[in-house]
Amino acid sequence: MTIRQVGIVGAGQMGNGIAHVFALSGYDVMMNDINEDALRSAVALIDKNLERQVLKEAISTADKAAAMSRIKTTTALAELGPSDLIIEAATERETIKTAIFEDLLPHIKPETILTSNTSSISITRLASRTDRPEKFLGFHFMNPVPIMQLVELIRGIATDEATFNSCKEVVDRLGKTAATAEDFPAFIVNRILMPMINEAIYTLYEGVGSVQSIDTSLKLGANHPMGPLELADFIGLDTCLAIMNVLHDGLADTKYRPCPLLTKYVEAGWLGRKTKRGFYDYSGDKPVPTR
């Protein structure tokens, strides 16, 4: 099918980035969130990020204006009904995602493709709770969406070839690169990345190095653009913990056991940049290590 209209559920960090790239690529976007303020903030952020691209001469002023005109917002999930493709980008909790898909089903067209931007949850299991497992796919963007080039496409056990091909064509039109992943816990990127971050937290927990020394070591010793603890704060420690729990539960291997220090930080509400405190304190002009 030809995809022209795209519905996005969730106006947070991932949702607004996905809306940005789709609108810039010529798709009509309807962005949904239960919070009107979140929608307003998302639109303002998209406008700011597009303006940054204009200043860098990556796009023209006309491109920005056209992209902004293609973005509509709503707090009513039913208004996503006319969408050809829906991308769920809500909180990384299976119960929330399942409830969203169940609420969407009465309103969407028979041919609408449903996808999830989940970073770890089983696509097969999410698809099984809908009326169209053959038209369900994992559509995992990397953060920040406008900058990162990769999109993981994850087939569930029932996903048909037409659905996969339609979504692959969308990725190509967005100017990004698709990597095909099988439906195993955390797929490819997070299956490799999250245990590395978890190990860095264990290294801190066991006193092998400080926050500063661990991040400096990986940046200068492994040529990583960002240290693992800095990256964990950027992703969100609650998201890191959720993915490690999916890996630990799904693969039943002790090497995926979340570090107790990660759990403790999440229990304290120290989730990283979004709460202004994680492995770094972000309340001042410059991030300061908290350990």
Side-chain angles (χ1 to χ4, degrees):
M1 68 178 291
T2 302
I3 294 171
R4 295 188 179 88
Q5 195 160 336
V6 179
I8 297 168
V9 183
Q13 196 172 38
M14 297 304 295
N16 77 68
I18 294 168
H20 173 139
V21 297
F22 270 89
L24 195 56
S25 297
Y27 292 96
D28 291 324
V29 174
M30 179 66 79
M31 184 165 49
N32 163 265
D33 198 284
I34 56 173
N35 188 324
E36 186 69 56
D37 289 339
L39 290 169
R40 278 195 289 269
S41 296
V43 171
L45 185 57
I46 293 167
D47 187 271
K48 179 182 173 184
N49 288 337
L50 285 167
E51 184 60 28
R52 187 178 288 129
Q53 289 180 283
V54 171
L55 294 173
K56 290 180 178 178
E57 299 183 349
I59 63 172
S60 68
T61 304
D63 291 333
K64 177 194 168 183
M68 290 302 298
S69 72
R70 295 186 190 106
I71 299 172
K72 305 286 188 294
T73 64
T74 180
T75 55
L77 205 57
E79 289 191 37
L80 271 58
S83 304
D84 303 311
L85 167 69
I86 292 176
I87 303 169
E88 171 274 312
T91 304
E92 190 70 356
R93 283 174 55 190
E94 189 167 343
T95 51
I96 291 173
K97 293 178 184 296
T98 298
I100 287 167
F101 288 120
E102 288 177 349
D103 288 348
L104 272 170
L105 292 180
H107 308 290
I108 58 178
K109 303 180 292 186
E111 64 271 22
T112 297
I113 294 172
L114 293 176
T115 69
S116 176
N117 183 59
T118 178
S119 50
S120 60
I121 297 167
S122 167
I123 299 302
T124 298
R125 200 162 60 238
L126 288 174
S128 72
R129 302 296 296 272
T130 74
D131 63 354
R132 61 196 68 202
E134 72 286 350
K135 291 187 179 298
F136 196 106
L137 190 80
F139 210 164
H140 182 215
F141 289 83
M142 306 296 124
N143 185 34
V145 180
I147 295 169
M148 301 295 279
Q149 289 300 302
L150 184 72
V151 181
E152 284 182 315
L153 295 181
I154 307 104
R155 288 183 178 92
I157 197 169
T159 307
D160 64 27
E161 202 63 24
T163 297
F164 178 86
N165 289 337
S166 292
C167 291
K168 172 66 167 63
E169 286 171 15
V170 168
V171 174
D172 293 342
R173 183 172 162 183
L174 295 176
K176 297 189 181 294
T177 300
T180 307
E182 294 302 314
D183 187 21
F184 286 91
F187 320 128
I188 295 172
V189 172
N190 283 319
R191 170 85 177 256
I192 297 166
L193 176 65
M194 284 301 159
M196 183 199 76
I197 287 174
N198 195 52
E199 193 63 28
I201 299 169
Y202 266 115
T203 306
L204 178 66
Y205 177 61
E206 293 168 6
V208 180
S210 65
V211 168
Q212 191 81 55
S213 61
I214 292 166
D215 277 352
T216 300
S217 295
L218 267 291
K219 282 192 281 190
L220 301 184
N223 204 28
H224 289 191
M226 193 182 284
L229 301 175
E230 183 186 1
L231 180 57
D233 276 358
F234 180 75
I235 293 166
L237 303 191
D238 52 340
T239 300
C240 294
L241 179 60
I243 296 170
M244 287 308 302
N245 281 328
V246 167
L247 280 165
H248 191 231
D249 295 344
L251 298 171
D253 193 321
T254 54
K255 72 180 179 180
Y256 298 117
R257 184 172 70 96
C259 179
L261 184 60
L262 173 60
T263 303
K264 191 64 67 180
Y265 269 49
V266 173
E267 287 174 346
W270 295 2
L271 308 182
R273 282 181 178 267
K274 61 187 172 186
T275 59
K276 298 197 179 302
R277 189 175 181 90
F279 294 111
Y280 292 83
D281 185 329
Y282 299 92
S283 58
D285 294 335
K286 185 179 177 184
V288 178
T290 53
R291 291 176 81 89

